[in-house]
Amino acid sequence: MIELKSVSKWYGSFQVLDDCSTRIEKGEVVVVCGPSGSGKSTLIKTINALEPVQKGEIWVNGTPVHDPKTDLPKLRSHVGMVFQHFELFPHLTVTQNLTIAQVKVLRRSLDEARKRGLKMLERVGLMAHKDKFPGQLSGGQQQRVAIARALSMDPIVMLFDEPTSALDPEMVGEVLDVMVSLANEGMTMMCVTHEMGFARKVASRVIFMDVGGKILEDCTKEDFFGNPDARQPRTKDFLGKILQH
Amino acid sequence: MNLSFDFSFYSWDLVSNFILKGLYFSVMLTLVATLGGIFFGTLLAMMRLSGRKWLIVPATIYVDGMRSIPLVMVILWFFLLVPLLIGAPIGAEASATVTFIAFEAAYFSEIMRAGIQSIPRGQVFAGQALGMTYGQNMRLIVLPQAFRNMLPVLLTQTIILFQDTSLVYAIGAYDMLKGFEVAGKNYGRPIEAFIAAAVVYFVICYSLSWLVKRLHKKIAIIH
Ligand SMILES: Nc1ncnc2c1ncn2[C@@H]1O[C@H](COP(=O)(O)OP(=O)(O)OP(=O)(O)O)[C@@H](O)[C@H]1O
Ligand SMILES: [Mg+2]
């Protein structure tokens, strides 16, 4: 479904991704973790070309993302993305947030878009807030709307970039619950997150990135958590740190 | 010096004969220059933020150039030069309208540029991630927010613009100030006429500023 082949990226002379390769099969849930600045956000954004790369190949569902001739808006319209800071459109109501891209990008009728959008809103449990503006919702609610917005586009894969790290602790659970249920329904997902409980519960694989933009580990959840001796020292060190609290 | 004023010559007849026509032109000029200025100003702002040198350079030269010349000179030059260029005279009113749009575009572009830059990068990413093209992202996500954030500043610029319309006296266009001037001459009371003009400008601009303040509270985007 998704394939990265020797992807490298530089900002000027500063390398942020160093020869990254991985594959994500349909229905897999891949968790990406690693220290701050290791390039996790950059890596996940290369998949829908929000971040262009200088070297390597990226394939999504048979589409060459690295190819300058690829119709990127069309590709992105069926790759869902959820951001750390939600990025709902503050000048639009919740319903408008859910429908605008369906209407303008997918060319659905407003009726159809509303039906689809509200169904997704229902599924994240926020039907009562459909006419509010994003600024009137809590962080956790905004993030759930953001997930519903991405789902309304009928994505073939969902990308999450630290979806819970801007939330107050008591709101993390409600967002993770939605993500777990998505995973259980067989959605293909790539999640940058440090919620190891989530990883243990639903991840198929875990990728660990280290400073310099290198993929240091790319293994099954069972290996990642259950077999510490097979892990790199850097990984053990990192896991030790984040599992302490 | 005798400083006793006599406003008794003011009557509905005077107002309707001399002032209304001028007021109408001043208001129309303000509206058209605001709408045109915001439209072309937004285009100029987008050119300057495009990251493409061949768009940035001409837009920057235009904006900085216009902002370095007194408006009254632009009004005069345009009125004198354009007929030479196109080989036919254009009326003072038409000339003033085009000049104001061109001039105000430079000022509105700076406001819109600040407005566009105030929108977080993440909003652009979010639009892109949903499959929006550059144009859709601008039209549906960035510009509406930039416009709302900047509305008080845009309207304040419009109030300044309304005051500046009086500069069309330089080319003899018939605006509100001219209306008062002609009325004052006809009735032999020029000083009273100019005082009355000042009062009307003040009342209009002051009420507009007050409205802007109220509006600002009402339309601010909740974050
Ligand atoms: N526009 C940019 N210009 C230059 N350097 C950048 C830019 N964006 C990111 N970087 C750098 O690239 C590196 C990787 O950034 P990235 O945001 O992908 O890291 P991350 O792993 O997501 O970190 P975090 O956990 O803090 O989100 C960082 O060192 C960052 O400073
Ligand atoms: Mg990040």
Side-chain angles (χ1 to χ4, degrees):
Chain A
M1 164 107 13
I2 295 175
E3 183 161 17
L4 282 82
K5 289 187 193 161
S6 303
V7 170
S8 295
K9 179 181 171 78
W10 290 262
Y11 284 114
S13 63
F14 179 71
Q15 188 157 17
V16 273
L17 294 178
D18 185 358
D19 199 28
C20 296
S21 301
T22 191
R23 282 175 72 96
I24 299 176
E25 303 300 335
K26 195 168 176 351
E28 268 192 311
V29 176
V30 174
V31 164
V32 181
C33 59
S36 181
S38 55
K40 306 178 299 291
S41 298
T42 309
L43 182 78
I44 202 168
K45 286 192 178 111
T46 62
I47 292 169
N48 58 357
L50 290 183
E51 295 281 5
V53 299
Q54 283 92 16
K55 248 178 82 185
E57 293 185 5
I58 300 157
W59 295 82
V60 175
N61 214 18
T63 308
V65 181
H66 54 279
D67 185 343
K69 288 193 289 289
T70 298
D71 181 354
L72 291 179
K74 187 167 169 224
L75 168 91
R76 290 172 183 145
S77 70
H78 48 249
V79 174
M81 180 147 213
V82 175
F83 299 87
Q84 182 173 4
H85 296 287
F86 331 134
E87 305 301 349
L88 293 176
F89 305 129
H91 61 303
L92 303 177
T93 64
V94 166
T95 306
Q96 289 169 330
N97 265 280
L98 295 169
T99 55
I100 188 164
Q102 292 188 68
V103 173
K104 301 288 176 177
V105 176
L106 300 181
R107 304 262 159 229
R108 290 181 180 160
S109 72
L110 189 56
D111 250 11
E112 192 190 349
R114 203 177 280 140
K115 218 176 268 165
R116 177 77 190 147
L118 292 181
K119 198 170 151 206
M120 291 303 111
L121 194 61
E122 174 97 80
R123 123 156 240 184
V124 299
L126 292 172
M127 203 53 165
H129 303 281
K130 68 181 170 51
D131 296 319
K132 288 194 180 158
F133 283 92
Q136 297 169 303
L137 304 178
S138 73
Q141 291 171 331
Q142 289 190 51
Q143 193 62 298
R144 281 145 71 199
V145 173
I147 294 173
R149 177 175 72 179
L151 292 175
S152 305
M153 303 290 284
D154 296 316
I156 53 170
V157 52
M158 287 283 286
L159 309 174
F160 294 82
D161 187 7
E162 303 210 35
T164 56
S165 54
L167 296 176
D168 291 338
E170 74 268 21
M171 292 170 188
V172 170
E174 62 190 72
V175 172
L176 289 179
D177 285 348
V178 173
M179 291 170 63
V180 167
S181 83
L182 264 182
N184 289 338
E185 278 168 33
M187 174 64 80
T188 311
M189 293 162 67
M190 183 164 182
C191 315
V192 177
T193 182
H194 291 146
E195 295 294 337
M196 288 302 130
F198 172 79
R200 279 179 204 275
K201 212 184 271 174
V202 296
S204 350
R205 278 188 300 128
V206 181
I207 289 176
F208 176 75
M209 289 188 76
D210 201 4
V211 271
K214 267 196 173 55
I215 292 183
L216 218 56
E217 309 266 3
D218 184 349
C219 55
T220 64
K221 162 179 70 178
E222 289 73 20
D223 272 352
F224 192 79
F225 293 112
N227 192 1
D229 295 337
R231 303 279 65 82
Q232 306 263 357
R234 285 282 303 150
T235 316
K236 277 195 275 188
D237 189 39
F238 178 80
L239 270 177
K241 270 185 203 141
I242 62 167
L243 292 179
Q244 257 169 25
H245 6 256
Chain B
M1 199 159 92
N2 181 6
L3 268 184
S4 68
F5 299 120
D6 177 6
F7 288 97
S8 62
F9 66 99
Y10 276 95
S11 66
W12 173 245
D13 269 358
L14 175 150
V15 170
S16 70
N17 287 340
F18 298 102
I19 315 295
L20 281 188
K21 178 181 154 203
L23 175 67
Y24 177 76
F25 178 70
S26 295
V27 169
M28 285 313 285
L29 181 55
T30 305
L31 285 181
V32 172
T34 299
L35 294 178
I38 289 177
F39 179 79
F40 290 109
T42 304
L43 288 184
L44 285 166
M46 281 163 61
M47 284 169 73
R48 291 188 74 173
L49 295 172
S50 66
R52 277 164 219 194
K53 224 172 160 184
W54 59 277
L55 290 172
I56 295 173
V57 171
T60 307
I61 292 176
Y62 180 85
V63 171
D64 291 351
M66 275 297 186
R67 281 158 37 94
S68 317
I69 309 172
L71 173 55
V72 69
M73 295 190 72
V74 185
I75 295 173
L76 270 172
W77 280 349
F78 204 85
F79 187 60
L80 299 173
L81 286 181
V82 170
L84 292 181
L85 287 178
I86 62 173
I90 49 170
E93 280 78 13
S95 176
T97 307
V98 177
T99 311
F100 268 87
I101 293 175
F103 189 82
E104 292 300 326
Y107 283 84
F108 282 121
S109 98
E110 288 296 271
I111 298 172
M112 288 310 292
R113 189 161 69 113
I116 294 170
Q117 283 177 317
S118 75
I119 307 304
R121 223 169 111 75
Q123 288 282 300
V124 179
F125 274 146
Q128 282 180 336
L130 286 164
M132 291 186 192
T133 60
Y134 172 83
Q136 288 173 325
N137 220 346
M138 270 289 160
R139 213 172 60 243
L140 303 169
I141 307 304
V142 177
L143 289 180
Q145 290 186 62
F147 193 78
R148 292 218 355 211
N149 290 348
M150 288 295 134
L151 197 56
V153 191
L154 291 168
L155 289 174
T156 304
Q157 179 66 26
T158 299
I159 296 172
I160 299 170
L161 165 57
F162 177 68
Q163 296 168 11
D164 285 350
T165 57
S166 58
L167 291 175
V168 297
Y169 84 86
I171 55 174
Y174 198 106
D175 73 328
M176 185 170 79
L177 184 61
K178 179 87 168 185
F180 277 104
E181 188 197 329
V182 173
K185 268 200 191 119
N186 280 3
Y187 288 80
R189 295 245 170 246
I191 299 195
E192 283 87 342
F194 280 126
I195 291 175
V199 171
V200 174
Y201 274 111
F202 177 82
V203 168
I204 292 178
C205 292
Y206 193 84
S207 347
L208 285 176
S209 307
W210 181 79
L211 272 177
V212 170
K213 264 186 223 135
R214 286 207 40 173
L215 194 69
H216 183 37
K217 285 191 195 121
K218 236 185 174 154
I219 61 130
I221 296 176
I222 320 159
H223 278 284

